[in-house]
């Protein structure tokens, strides 16, 4: 079957229809001129990346090096800190790269609004950031919602940086970041977090099966809800997480919709003359 040039173009647009503008991943809507990255936003991104790194290093030093050793990898909160660091460090790098390009006068202007799709596929760096951000946000919320009602014991678990960084600070900022960034959300991406939780649960089982007992406080499990000596309970827990994650992802989507409503309320839409000026500016920069 031969596809004509116009039909091939249509098919290409269909394949790339869901690819959002890459600039949505490297800037904020807050500020007067959101066509370029501001120094304030650049500094903000690096502060968050450094804080995420400090949470990770402090946790590794106190838990992995001093106490738990390899068992550190069995904690879900350990992965929450690692995912947060990877996400915010990669985001800071991408924001810095865009800022340096714009500093040289190479500004890519666009008349597309919101989540309009692009004819160009999303760069792999931005796609990786998107996937990690999805997993980090959902998993941090899972850790928070599971820890405080079911595992936290006053007097036993101190409210120090080690405890609060993974169970409070990171989940809280992931929620706040939805209103700061312009990163889009897709409901289908909930599968990223579901797959991560499944791999984590199976890896947890593999570690315990290999090492036997004495995993945590002389027990053969890390979390009581993942006591693999009770396979039915564990399977129900894993199944429950796969059901819970899409609802958590939908929660972040609702927040992003509220952010979009706020943007439309605060930001004045471009009139016809402004769009013409932007288009002329783009043509000038392409010469």
């Amino acid at each position: 079957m031969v596809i004509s040039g116009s039909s091939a173009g249509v098919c290409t647009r269909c394949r790339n229809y869901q690819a959002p503008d890459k600039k949505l991943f490297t800037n904020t809507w807050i500020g007067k001129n959101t066509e370029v990255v501001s120094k304030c936003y650049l500094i903000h991104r690096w502060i968050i990346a450094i804080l995420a790194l400090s949470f990770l290093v402090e946790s590794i030093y106190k838990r992995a090096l001093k106490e738990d050793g390899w068992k550190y990898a069995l904690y879900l909160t350990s992965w929450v800190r690692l995912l947060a660091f990877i996400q915010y460090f990669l985001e800071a790098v991408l924001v810095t790269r865009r800022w340096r390009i714009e500093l040289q006068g190479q500004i890519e202007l666009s008349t597309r609004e919101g989540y309009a799709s692009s004819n160009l596929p999303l760069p792999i760096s931005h796609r990786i950031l998107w996937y990690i951000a999805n997993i980090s946000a959902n998993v941090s919320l899972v850790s928070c919602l599971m820890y405080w009602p079911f595992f936290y014991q006053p007097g036993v678990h101190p409210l120090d940086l080690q405890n609060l960084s993974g169970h409070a600070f990171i989940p809280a900022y992931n929620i706040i970041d939805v209103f700061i960034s312009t990163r889009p959300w897709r409901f289908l991406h909930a599968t990223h977090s579901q797959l991560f939780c499944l791999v984590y649960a199976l890896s947890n089982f593999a570690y315990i099966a290999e090492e036997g007992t004495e995993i945590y406080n002389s027990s053969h499990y890390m979390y009581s809800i993942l006591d693999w000596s009770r396979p039915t309970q564990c399977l129900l827990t894993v199944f429950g997480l796969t059901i819970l994650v899409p609802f958590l992802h939908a929660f972040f989507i609702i927040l992003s919709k509220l952010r979009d409503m706020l943007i439309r309320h605060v930001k004045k839409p471009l009139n016809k003359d402004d769009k013409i000026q932007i288009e002329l500016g783009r043509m000038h920069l392409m010469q």
Side-chain angles (χ1 to χ4, degrees):
M1 180 177 179
V2 180
I3 301 176
S4 63
S6 59
S7 299
V10 172
C11 292
T12 301
R13 287 195 294 272
C14 291
R15 287 197 301 269
N16 297 327
Y17 178 74
Q18 292 186 340
D21 191 340
K22 67 178 183 180
K23 295 191 299 181
L24 293 173
F25 296 85
T26 52
N27 205 359
T28 180
W29 62 274
I30 302 173
K32 294 182 179 180
N33 185 7
T34 57
E35 287 292 341
V36 297
V37 176
S38 65
K39 288 184 179 179
C40 290
Y41 186 68
L42 177 66
I43 294 172
H44 165 78
R45 278 301 163 201
W46 277 109
I47 289 176
I48 297 302
I50 293 172
L51 283 175
L53 175 61
S54 65
F55 292 157
L56 179 62
V57 171
E58 188 266 349
S59 176
I60 291 176
Y61 175 74
K62 291 186 66 175
R63 301 301 297 269
L65 299 182
K66 281 189 159 186
E67 299 178 9
D68 298 321
W70 67 267
K71 300 174 187 177
Y72 176 81
L74 297 179
Y75 290 98
L76 182 61
T77 318
S78 303
W79 293 99
V80 168
R81 297 186 186 92
L82 179 61
L83 287 168
F85 166 68
I86 295 174
Q87 173 195 345
Y88 292 119
F89 179 77
L90 177 58
E91 192 166 6
V93 170
L94 293 178
V95 171
T96 302
R97 185 173 68 180
R98 175 178 170 181
W99 177 78
R100 288 177 61 87
I101 292 174
E102 293 173 347
L103 197 63
Q104 300 171 1
Q106 302 177 24
I107 303 174
E108 180 184 357
L109 298 176
S110 175
T111 56
R112 283 182 290 147
E113 299 177 358
Y115 300 138
S117 60
S118 171
N119 290 330
L120 296 176
L122 195 64
I124 185 64
S125 56
H126 293 66
R127 194 169 293 275
I128 291 174
L129 172 62
W130 202 3
Y131 295 165
I132 293 178
N134 292 329
I135 298 173
S136 177
N138 290 322
V139 172
S140 67
L141 208 53
V142 168
S143 177
C144 177
L145 294 177
M146 292 294 103
Y147 177 75
W148 295 109
F150 301 110
F151 300 110
Y152 173 68
Q153 300 178 18
V156 177
H157 302 130
L159 295 178
D160 54 6
L161 180 62
Q162 168 69 24
N163 200 352
L164 293 176
S165 64
H167 299 119
F169 294 158
I170 292 176
Y173 182 78
N174 283 336
I175 294 175
I176 295 173
D177 187 59
V178 175
F179 293 94
I180 296 176
S181 69
T182 54
R183 186 174 59 252
W185 289 79
R186 298 285 186 268
F187 186 77
L188 185 61
H189 288 180
T191 55
H192 304 156
S193 303
Q194 288 178 310
L195 180 61
F196 178 88
C197 290
L198 178 61
V199 171
Y200 169 78
L202 295 178
S203 300
N204 191 281
F205 169 73
Y207 274 125
I208 293 173
E210 178 69 20
E211 295 293 333
T213 58
E214 305 296 327
I215 298 297
Y216 178 69
N217 288 342
S218 301
S219 63
H220 55 276
Y221 54 82
M222 182 58 67
Y223 298 107
S224 57
I225 60 175
L226 285 179
D227 181 0
W228 287 99
S229 64
R230 301 176 179 177
T232 302
Q233 174 183 302
C234 286
L235 291 176
L236 288 175
T237 298
V238 174
F239 178 75
L241 285 177
T242 60
I243 299 300
L244 175 64
V245 165
F247 286 95
L248 298 181
H249 197 76
F251 168 71
F252 283 103
I253 292 178
I254 293 174
L255 294 182
S256 69
K257 296 299 182 182
L258 294 175
R259 175 198 64 196
D260 297 341
M261 293 173 57
L262 182 62
I263 293 175
R264 287 192 294 268
H265 178 74
V266 173
K267 295 293 184 179
K268 179 181 177 182
L270 294 175
N271 56 41
K272 183 176 180 181
D273 293 337
D274 292 335
K275 291 183 178 181
I276 292 175
Q277 290 296 326
I278 290 178
E279 187 66 27
L280 290 174
R282 182 200 295 179
M283 293 173 62
H284 175 73
L285 290 171
M286 291 176 62
Q287 292 178 352

